[in-house]
Amino acid sequence: MPENKMFPRDFKWGTATSSYQIEGAPTAGGKGPSVWDTFSHIEGKINNGDTGDTACDHYHLWRDDIGLLKKLGVNAYRFSISWPRIFPTGKENEPNQIGLDFYSRLVDTLLENQITPFITLNHWDIPQGLEDIGGWTERDIVHDFVKYSYHVSKHLGDRVRNWITHNEPWCISYLGYIEGHKPPGLINKWSKSLATAHHLLLSHGMAIPEIRNNSKQSEIGITLNLNTAIPASGSTYDEDACRFFDGQFNRLYLNPLYNNEYPDDVFEYLKTKSLISESDLNFIKQGDLNIISTKTDFLGVNYYSRAVIRNEEIDEKNNLPRNVDMGPKTDFGWEIYPPGIYDLLMRLKNEYKVQNIYITENGCSYGDGPNSEGKINDKRRIEYYLSHLTELKRAIEDGAPCNGYFAWSLMDNFEWAQGFSQRFGLIWVDFETLERIPKDSYYWYKKYISANGLDED
Ligand code: GCO
C-alpha cells in the first residue's frame, strides 16, 4: 500500500461532542444550572423553543453511545465536561463527587474499548452562578476556571492524556457580546467582548501547569475556530473589512497564544470607530501575555467554511462588484470550501510555526432522515467529509503537522440557537424516542478510517 496515500501512522481518528449539546439531565446528581440552561429557556432565543433539557439523553445512554463509537472503529473521542456538574455554582471549595464519577466511568469505559479520551474543559456551559457575577468579563473567573481544571485533572489525570482548555473562545466573546446569539446574549459590547477573550486566554495559560502537574505526560491545548478570510472584491473597503475580520476572528487568538502579543490593528480599528477607548483595555495586566503564550502541546482547530468578507459600511452600488465564485452550501447555509482547510493549516505551520495540530471539529449539517426502509442516505455529508479529508491529506503531505481528525459530530444534537433543526451527526437521533440510527456517512467513515484514509482508487 502506498504510504503517501494514507494518513500518518498513529493518526487519531475520532468524533466530537459537547456536554450541553448531548447530555440532558440538567439537575441530575446535584448539577447546577449552566448559562445554556438559562439561555435556552428564554423565550425567542432558540429556534422552535428547543432546549437541551433532554437533548440526546447521553447522561443516561452513554454506554450505548460508547458502543456506537466502538462499532465505528474510532481510536479517539472528544467530549466536554459540564462545569456545573463539578462545581454547581462555580464557587464551592470542593468538587461534586457525583459529577466527577460520571466522567470517570465514561473515561474508564472508553479506555476499556481502546478509545483515547480528549477532554474539553469548557465547551461554553459555565455555571450560571459565575455568569451572575460577571462571567468571563471579570478577572475573578480565571481563578474559578483554574480550580475547576485542577480538580478535574486531579481526578481523571491518571487516565486522561489529552486536554483542551477552551472550545472556540471567539464564539463566547463575539457571539455572546457582539451578536448576542449565545449567552449572555449582549449586543455590540466591545469592551466586554475583548475582556472575555482575554480572560479565556489567561485562564488557559494559568490552567496549563495545574493540569500538567496532575496529568503527567499529558498533551494540553486549546481549540480555536479558525478560517481563511478573503475580500469579496478588490475594493479597499472590502480589503480593510477583511483585514479586520481576520484580526478579530483569527489573529486576536493566535497572536497572543503564539507570538506573545495582541494584534494592535484590531484595537486601533475599534478605537477609530469609537467602539472602545484606551482605558477599556485595562484588563490586560503586565505579565498576562507571558502566561497566555505558555507553550502548549497542540492546537485544536475547528474548521467548517471560509469567510468571504463584504464591507457593510458603504452601499453595494458604491462598492466594486463581488468577484468570488462561491461554492455550494450545506443546509445551514455555510459555503462548502474544502481547500480552506489546506490553506488554514499551511498558514498555521508557516506563519505561526504551530508544531502539532488536531482537527478537533469538521463537519456539516444536512437534514437527511430515514427512508422507508429506515436507512439514511446522507451522500452529501460523505462528499463533504471526503473532500475535506483529501485536502487535509494534501496539507499533511506538504508538511502540516496534523496528527488527528475529529468529525463533528458523533450524533445529531442540540445545535445551540438552532435547536434541533440542524443535524451534524454521523448518527441520526430521533429526539422524541431517542433512538439512534447510524447514517450512511457513519458506515463510510468507518471504512475510511479503518483504511487510514487510503484512497479507494
Ligand atoms: C461550534 C461548536 C460546536 C457546534 C458545531 C456546529 O463550533 O459552534 O464547537 O458545538 O455544534 O461547530 O456549529
Side-chain angles (χ1 to χ4, degrees):
M1 287 195 291
E3 192 57 38
N4 64 355
K5 288 196 141 192
M6 292 159 68
F7 281 81
R9 219 186 300 273
D10 300 328
F11 197 72
K12 290 277 184 289
W13 288 108
T15 66
T17 62
S18 88
S19 44
Y20 187 73
Q21 294 181 275
I22 64 166
E23 285 180 359
T27 56
K31 175 180 168 293
S34 78
V35 287
W36 272 95
D37 289 308
T38 310
F39 192 75
S40 66
H41 281 268
I42 302 174
E43 214 187 311
K45 294 291 186 198
I46 313 292
N47 180 57
N48 192 39
D50 293 341
T51 73
D53 285 1
T54 305
C56 307
D57 201 21
H58 171 78
Y59 187 79
H60 297 110
L61 300 177
W62 62 273
R63 281 187 192 280
D64 298 347
D65 293 335
I66 294 184
L68 287 162
L69 281 167
K70 176 76 180 163
K71 277 200 205 118
L72 180 58
V74 289
N75 57 24
Y77 173 54
R78 173 180 178 231
F79 63 96
S80 79
I81 295 204
S82 161
W83 186 346
R85 282 199 197 283
I86 313 298
F87 288 97
T89 68
K91 283 294 179 193
E92 294 79 2
N93 288 326
E94 293 304 321
N96 172 22
Q97 195 60 38
I98 304 177
L100 287 171
D101 289 347
F102 170 70
Y103 294 107
S104 192
R105 280 193 296 274
L106 190 69
V107 163
D108 286 342
T109 311
L110 286 167
L111 291 171
E112 279 160 23
N113 286 286
Q114 291 78 46
I115 300 169
T116 304
F118 275 60
I119 287 186
T120 309
L121 287 162
N122 168 29
H123 201 122
W124 310 350
D125 46 349
I126 71 167
Q128 181 62 39
L130 296 180
E131 187 65 44
D132 291 342
I133 50 174
W136 290 109
T137 66
E138 293 293 328
R139 198 174 172 97
D140 248 14
I141 195 172
V142 171
H143 303 290
D144 301 312
F145 181 74
V146 172
K147 177 185 68 181
Y148 160 63
S149 305
Y150 169 83
H151 283 285
V152 174
S153 58
K154 187 160 174 57
H155 199 74
L156 304 178
D158 54 335
R159 288 154 289 156
V160 174
R161 295 274 173 271
N162 299 84
W163 298 93
I164 295 164
T165 52
H166 299 294
N167 177 69
E168 304 189 351
W170 177 86
C171 287
I172 303 169
S173 151
Y174 194 89
L175 301 178
Y177 294 89
I178 304 298
E179 283 195 355
H181 297 149
K182 297 210 150 83
L186 302 180
I187 294 174
N188 283 335
K189 298 280 183 278
W190 272 102
S191 80
K192 285 186 193 294
S193 169
L194 294 175
T196 291
H198 183 70
H199 295 140
L200 281 159
L201 291 170
L202 184 64
S203 67
H204 154 79
M206 284 179 70
I208 293 172
E210 303 287 338
I211 302 171
R212 197 156 273 153
N213 199 31
N214 283 334
S215 181
K216 307 284 179 221
Q217 283 125 36
S218 58
E219 284 194 336
I220 307 163
I222 186 169
T223 280
L224 304 179
N225 50 319
L226 301 169
N227 64 22
T228 33
I230 58 161
S233 81
S235 78
T236 50
Y237 297 102
D238 287 351
E239 281 172 1
D240 286 352
C242 186
R243 181 166 171 69
F244 176 66
F245 177 87
D246 181 56
Q248 62 87 4
F249 193 91
N250 297 313
R251 290 182 287 115
L252 186 64
Y253 301 92
L254 287 168
N255 288 25
L257 287 165
Y258 287 94
N259 297 348
N260 202 324
E261 63 172 22
Y262 273 115
D264 277 340
D265 61 300
V266 173
F267 296 156
E268 286 314 312
Y269 179 95
L270 291 170
K271 282 185 214 158
T272 327
K273 303 273 172 214
S274 302
L275 293 168
I276 57 168
S277 63
E278 186 62 42
S279 62
D280 279 337
L281 298 174
N282 285 350
F283 54 76
I284 306 174
K285 310 280 182 219
Q286 209 180 355
D288 284 1
L289 279 159
N290 287 339
I291 297 172
I292 293 172
S293 58
T294 303
K295 197 172 172 343
T296 51
D297 304 293
F298 66 88
L299 176 66
V301 172
N302 293 352
Y303 175 83
Y304 288 92
S305 187
R306 70 170 164 182
V308 178
I309 303 299
R310 187 67 160 169
N311 174 281
E312 284 173 1
E313 283 171 38
I314 55 162
D315 280 350
E316 275 291 308
K317 60 177 185 326
N318 295 330
N319 205 345
L320 292 177
R322 292 171 182 260
N323 64 3
V324 178
D325 288 334
M326 300 292 286
K329 292 182 172 157
T330 67
D331 283 356
F332 209 153
W334 297 355
E335 188 199 5
I336 303 169
Y337 189 68
I341 199 167
Y342 175 91
D343 297 341
L344 174 58
L345 290 196
M346 297 321 275
R347 180 185 189 189
L348 294 171
K349 167 187 180 295
N350 296 328
E351 206 176 313
Y352 290 97
K353 315 285 178 231
V354 181
Q355 286 168 6
N356 186 12
I357 296 170
Y358 293 109
I359 301 296
T360 40
E361 286 179 29
N362 174 236
C364 52
S365 167
Y366 287 113
D368 307 302
N371 63 17
S372 54
E373 288 146 35
K375 294 215 175 356
I376 298 152
N377 177 350
D378 57 340
K379 203 163 131 275
R380 294 171 299 172
R381 177 170 288 102
I382 296 174
E383 280 164 12
Y384 181 99
Y385 277 127
L386 178 60
S387 58
H388 284 77
L389 284 162
T390 303
E391 286 293 320
L392 175 61
K393 207 192 287 184
R394 185 163 73 91
I396 294 173
E397 277 166 9
D398 288 349
C402 179
N403 291 302
Y405 177 91
F406 294 78
W408 184 271
S409 177
L410 171 64
M411 55 189 159
D412 296 337
N413 57 48
F414 178 82
E415 178 54 31
W416 309 114
Q418 312 299 321
F420 298 109
S421 67
Q422 298 296 335
R423 292 176 175 269
F424 278 86
L426 294 166
I427 297 170
W428 168 273
V429 176
D430 179 324
F431 292 105
E432 297 293 318
T433 63
L434 299 174
E435 186 189 1
R436 281 107 158 106
I437 308 175
K439 303 178 186 176
D440 284 358
S441 55
Y442 173 97
Y443 298 106
W444 174 85
Y445 191 54
K446 177 180 170 67
K447 200 167 150 216
Y448 188 86
I449 66 183
S450 76
N452 201 20
L454 181 71
D455 290 327
E456 276 178 6
D457 51 10

